[in-house]
Amino acid sequence: MQRYADCPQVLRNFLAYHETIKNQSPKTISEYYLDLRMFLRFIKLMRSDMPIRTRLDVIPIADIDLDFIAKITTTEVFDFLSYLANDRTDNPDDRNPDYGISATSRARKLSAIKSFFKYLTVRTKQLTENPVAELEYPKLRKSLPKYLTYEQSAALLKAVSGPNQKRDYAILMLFLNCGIRRSELVGLNLTDVYEDRIRVVGKGNKERFVYFGEACRKAIEAYLPERNKKFLTDNRALFGSRDGNRISVTAVHRLVKKHLLAAGLDASQLSAHKLRHTAATMMLSGGVDVKTVQEVLGHENLNTTQIYTHIENTELKIAAEANPLSKLDFSE
């Protein structure tokens, strides 16, 4: 927790709780830290005599105590959300900065605030009043995740070429067959590969086994002899890079974009994460129940997986309307 030394003790305790007890990822802890630091800086600014245009990043919060937090009201939280929607800018030094952040970003920050006050009122009982308990999240625009069709997936795999052809082909096959995350793929070790499945370490260090089919097995088997000839700085890694290190998330992002372009697909709209969406959609299209897909993808909440059922329902509707018989009407 030394890296959060600029925070008050109560916030460091909250972060430590999520790191050690809840076992959440370093990325999640960092997001909590940044969101709550901004929130507390804003509250301190609003309560102080500092000029209203004072930049939040210069406001110290290490002196904030539990009494300060106990006095935070719902109105102050609304003021913070209004600031985010109308006045917040990530580039204040630009000549014409963009003001206001998206509803998704505001919802994430509110989620951090809600988690913080739940920790103080329910988990540790340091406070009795929760000013955000009934606060609703900003309304989000719902959009279906983009994914590749069967034909586009085939075109992508056919387009793979170059000096790392076998490695890249195996990576794409794992994405399209197993629906794993980029971070999960990067973390794969040689010992995580079995004859018909891989062992994946997902969010919160939760382990799961994901099975793959014959084509994916062949892709991995074709790559392994090439991999075994290389010595990496972390020689446990399943996939390595040109510089002899474990392949990075950034490198995976680039190679996916490269092969999408080679396949003639819109790389600006598609990514490695969209290949995960593709795997989920294809599983549901093939008749796999949503609960099983949830386990494959490693979703903690079934609601996260159910968005793919909307994709499937949309495709079924299009298929029904494409049937020439759907236009026949002799009812009158």
Side-chain angles (χ1 to χ4, degrees), residues 110-320:
L110 178 56
S111 177
I113 296 169
K114 279 177 168 284
S115 182
F116 184 45
F117 276 102
K118 183 177 180 180
Y119 161 80
L120 292 172
T121 55
V122 178
R123 303 300 180 202
T124 62
K125 303 188 186 307
Q126 297 178 70
L127 299 179
T128 56
E129 298 294 327
N130 185 344
V132 294
E134 305 300 325
L135 211 58
E136 295 181 357
Y137 286 99
K139 189 172 183 180
L140 303 179
R141 176 177 168 270
K142 294 183 178 179
S143 59
L144 297 178
K146 292 182 173 61
Y147 62 98
L148 276 68
T149 64
Y150 176 86
E151 291 75 18
Q152 288 173 326
S153 300
L156 174 61
L157 292 170
K158 288 178 182 177
V160 179
S161 62
N164 295 305
Q165 180 176 358
K166 291 181 179 179
R167 182 201 67 179
D168 293 0
Y169 188 82
I171 286 174
L172 294 176
M173 286 295 282
L174 281 169
F175 279 138
L176 291 169
N177 281 264
C178 301
I180 59 178
R181 302 176 177 93
R182 275 189 302 173
S183 58
E184 293 170 345
L185 181 130
V186 166
L188 286 175
N189 292 326
L190 287 164
T191 53
D192 293 328
V193 180
Y194 296 81
E195 184 178 353
D196 58 354
R197 62 196 185 280
I198 53 173
R199 172 184 160 275
V200 176
V201 180
K203 289 186 175 180
N205 289 324
K206 293 180 180 177
E207 296 182 10
R208 70 184 188 279
F209 281 97
V210 182
Y211 287 80
F212 48 73
E214 181 69 11
C216 189
R217 182 185 65 79
K218 288 182 178 179
I220 295 172
E221 286 183 348
Y223 162 69
L224 284 176
E226 178 182 289
R227 163 64 186 89
N228 291 331
K229 293 177 183 177
K230 294 182 178 180
F231 183 82
L232 305 178
T233 53
D234 182 356
N235 215 35
R236 301 170 302 166
L238 176 60
F239 296 110
S241 59
R242 285 185 305 177
D243 56 9
N245 295 316
R246 179 186 290 270
I247 198 169
S248 67
V249 169
T250 302
V252 172
H253 172 77
R254 288 173 179 166
L255 74 86
V256 170
K257 291 286 188 180
K258 168 188 170 184
H259 297 304
L260 285 168
L261 286 170
L265 301 173
D266 187 351
S268 66
Q269 297 295 314
L270 300 169
S271 63
H273 197 63
K274 300 303 184 292
L275 303 188
R276 175 171 160 85
H277 294 330
T278 301
T281 306
M282 294 299 174
M283 289 178 207
L284 286 167
S285 299
V288 180
D289 68 271
V290 68
K291 184 66 178 175
T292 301
V293 175
Q294 177 194 5
E295 294 179 10
V296 171
L297 297 180
H299 284 159
E300 188 170 333
N301 195 316
L302 185 62
N303 291 336
T304 309
T305 316
Q306 284 177 330
I307 189 171
Y308 298 108
T309 64
H310 299 311
I311 295 175
E312 176 65 5
N313 291 338
T314 301
E315 288 192 336
L316 291 173
K317 184 175 184 298
I318 293 172

Side-chain angles (χ1 to χ4, degrees), residues 2-51:
Q2 185 61 37
R3 59 192 180 280
Y4 304 128
D6 62 333
C7 289
Q9 187 62 50
V10 63
L11 179 51
R12 291 206 300 273
N13 291 345
F14 167 78
L15 298 173
Y17 167 77
H18 278 273
E19 184 177 52
T20 59
I21 305 300
K22 300 290 284 184
N23 198 29
Q24 292 191 309
S25 69
K27 181 181 178 182
T28 299
I29 303 300
S30 178
E31 288 174 349
Y32 276 143
Y33 160 66
L34 294 172
D35 291 342
L36 291 169
R37 184 181 66 173
M38 180 191 297
F39 171 63
L40 293 176
R41 282 173 167 173
F42 176 84
I43 299 298
K44 188 173 182 180
L45 173 63
M46 292 299 101
R47 292 182 181 178
S48 73
D49 295 328
M50 288 181 280

